Amino acid sequence: MSDVRVAGVGVTSFGNMPEKTGRELFATASIEAFEDSGVPREDVDALLYGNFMGELSEHQGHQGPLMAEAAGIQAPATRYESACASSGTAVRDAVLRLRNGEDDVILVGGAERMTNLGTAGATEALAIAADDLWEVRAGTTFPGAYALMAQAYFEEYGGVHEDLAHIAVKNHENALPNDKAQYQRAIDVEDVLEAPQVSSPLGLYDACPLSDGAAALVLTSESYAEEHNLESAVSITGTGQGGDRMALHDREYLARSPAARNAGEEAYADSGIGPADVDFAEVHDCFTIAEVLAIESLDLFQIGEGISAARDGRTTADGETPINLSGGLKAKGHPVGATGASQIAEVTKLLSGKHPNSEFVEDATTALAHNAGGTVASATVHVLEVSDA
């Protein structure tokens, strides 16, 4: 089985850009990805594009061919929607297509325009990733849903809000040198604990922001990379996908993420590595409790130990397993359709020594990217490794 090479990556700044359209954002990310890759646009066989709320934020469906045009390519284009895991799912399909020989070059990525809706409008739009009949109509929002998951975790395994506060502080610290991050400012534990409460036990600083942004990746087959002498330092060597019941009340667990566990186990088996081989990871921390659930589901920490990992310095930049060196969704930002692809871009830069935080993982060879949809009813996990010389 051949690996898939990451030939080039492009990411816009994430933040509040209501005047920018989705096509403008994706065009910007694509230009950067092609310049980074050295791959000519005419070699692209397909575009796989992730987007969640385009019909609501831009009154625009059928976005695949629109974004192909924005990227300057003429190739079949498909739009993927899997809530916050939209572009992670697109990346997984790109990997499978390149491996099986269907394609040699794929442009994959995503974009989201959110802030033009305002806070109330974006919150309502995001809610359609939950079960409308049994959750949304009852008034459940994602802050409320993740608060229930946090309460369940505290009850089953222990922990307090201060433990979660250390995650927020860590991720803001990691975002400081990342010029693409939405929040490049430090916070402390007191800031988190004294912030307005959103849904107990979660407060304002436990949540990721609303964000606009885009990410694009030029992925190639191993044979194409070798034939064209591409300097692709990083490969995607494993991919996995998992699912769970949509509504929280239908699930066996509230304090665990079976979808992420299944995706992780599949990705580990696919790549031939195990959790002990992972040097660092980018995980889907839409809320601070989500980082805890992710690192435990991926077996990077034992169940019940993830809650104290940031407080104890185990997941900090200089810890044993750095988590979210980009700043994570918490501080880097979360333009929903772009997030999964942006995680791959961040990991690629970190492994290739091109990231402002690469100094913390300069000897690293293996990393994970974990992308989740909704309350982790959908999840993808990818293993990335330094390419063989």
Side-chain angles (χ1 to χ4, degrees):
M1 181 184 67
S2 63
D3 296 331
V4 169
R5 298 292 181 88
V6 185
V9 304
V11 182
T12 67
S13 295
F14 288 179
N16 189 341
M17 299 173 282
E19 76 286 353
K20 294 282 189 180
T21 64
R23 70 188 79 185
E24 288 178 289
L25 292 166
F26 191 65
T28 300
S30 298
I31 289 170
E32 185 176 307
F34 279 116
E35 289 179 348
D36 186 43
S37 72
V39 173
R41 284 173 170 79
E42 55 266 26
D43 282 4
V44 175
D45 296 308
L47 166 64
L48 308 186
Y49 173 79
N51 176 267
F52 172 56
M53 61 173 68
E55 289 85 352
L56 300 176
S57 65
E58 298 195 282
H59 195 64
Q60 182 66 64
H62 200 196
Q63 290 198 23
L66 185 70
M67 295 306 168
E69 182 180 350
I73 62 173
Q74 292 185 334
T78 305
R79 181 256 190 110
Y80 285 70
E81 189 280 297
S82 189
C84 310
S86 294
S87 61
T89 305
V91 170
R92 172 171 164 77
D93 272 11
V95 170
L96 298 177
R97 288 173 61 153
L98 290 164
R99 279 182 179 174
N100 69 24
E102 182 177 346
D103 299 301
D104 277 320
V105 180
I106 294 179
L107 178 64
V108 58
E112 208 73 67
R113 187 182 181 199
M114 303 172 68
T115 64
N116 63 307
L117 293 173
T119 300
T123 300
E124 184 177 356
L126 287 165
I128 68 171
D131 187 322
D132 181 74
L133 184 59
W134 297 110
E135 293 181 309
V136 179
R137 297 186 192 186
T140 301
T141 62
F142 278 110
Y146 274 93
L148 290 173
M149 296 163 80
Q151 290 172 9
Y153 187 98
F154 288 171
E155 182 176 343
E156 189 162 353
Y157 304 116
V160 294
H161 188 203
E162 185 172 346
D163 295 314
L164 299 179
H166 283 277
I167 296 173
V169 170
K170 167 184 68 71
N171 291 347
H172 273 259
E173 181 73 20
N174 289 343
L176 287 176
N178 187 350
D179 61 3
K180 300 296 180 74
Q182 185 162 350
Y183 292 146
Q184 291 177 270
R185 64 173 183 265
I187 60 173
D188 57 30
V189 170
E190 288 70 29
D191 290 328
V192 181
L193 297 180
E194 294 173 5
Q197 189 172 84
V198 177
S199 185
S200 180
L202 305 179
L204 184 64
Y205 281 121
D206 289 287
C208 68
L210 299 176
S211 313
D212 305 311
L217 315 169
V218 178
L219 304 183
T220 76
S221 64
E222 196 168 39
S223 60
Y224 179 95
E226 292 172 353
E227 180 182 347
H228 293 80
N229 296 314
L230 296 183
E231 296 181 2
S232 49
V234 176
S235 297
I236 299 176
T237 61
T239 181
Q241 185 171 2
D244 200 355
R245 292 182 177 272
M246 186 85 149
L248 288 181
H249 64 263
D250 286 329
R251 297 191 186 171
E252 184 177 358
Y253 305 106
L254 286 186
R256 301 187 193 180
S257 297
R261 176 167 294 279
N262 292 339
E265 289 176 350
E266 184 179 5
Y268 287 138
D270 189 37
S271 65
I273 70 154
D277 299 309
V278 175
D279 295 308
F280 65 91
E282 288 287 314
V283 304
H284 198 96
D285 61 323
C286 49
F287 296 90
T288 49
I289 186 62
E291 179 169 308
V292 176
L293 299 178
I295 61 178
E296 292 185 357
S297 296
L298 297 171
D299 282 332
L300 301 177
F301 292 87
Q302 295 297 313
I303 292 176
E305 293 184 2
I307 187 67
S308 61
R311 183 192 66 202
D312 295 341
R314 300 175 69 188
T315 57
T316 55
D318 56 357
E320 63 189 70
T321 309
I323 301 295
N324 288 330
L325 283 168
S326 69
L329 284 62
K330 173 66 197 75
K332 181 188 66 178
H334 183 29
V336 174
T339 289
S342 75
Q343 291 175 316
I344 301 289
E346 296 285 347
V347 170
T348 298
K349 291 179 181 179
L350 285 159
L351 284 174
S352 58
K354 298 178 180 179
H355 194 280
N357 282 330
S358 287
E359 63 180 291
F360 296 106
V361 288
E362 58 185 0
D363 296 323
T365 60
T366 306
L368 289 186
H370 156 271
N371 189 202
T375 47
V376 204
S378 304
T380 62
V381 173
H382 290 93
V383 177
L384 288 86
E385 299 184 70
V386 174
S387 302
D388 293 333

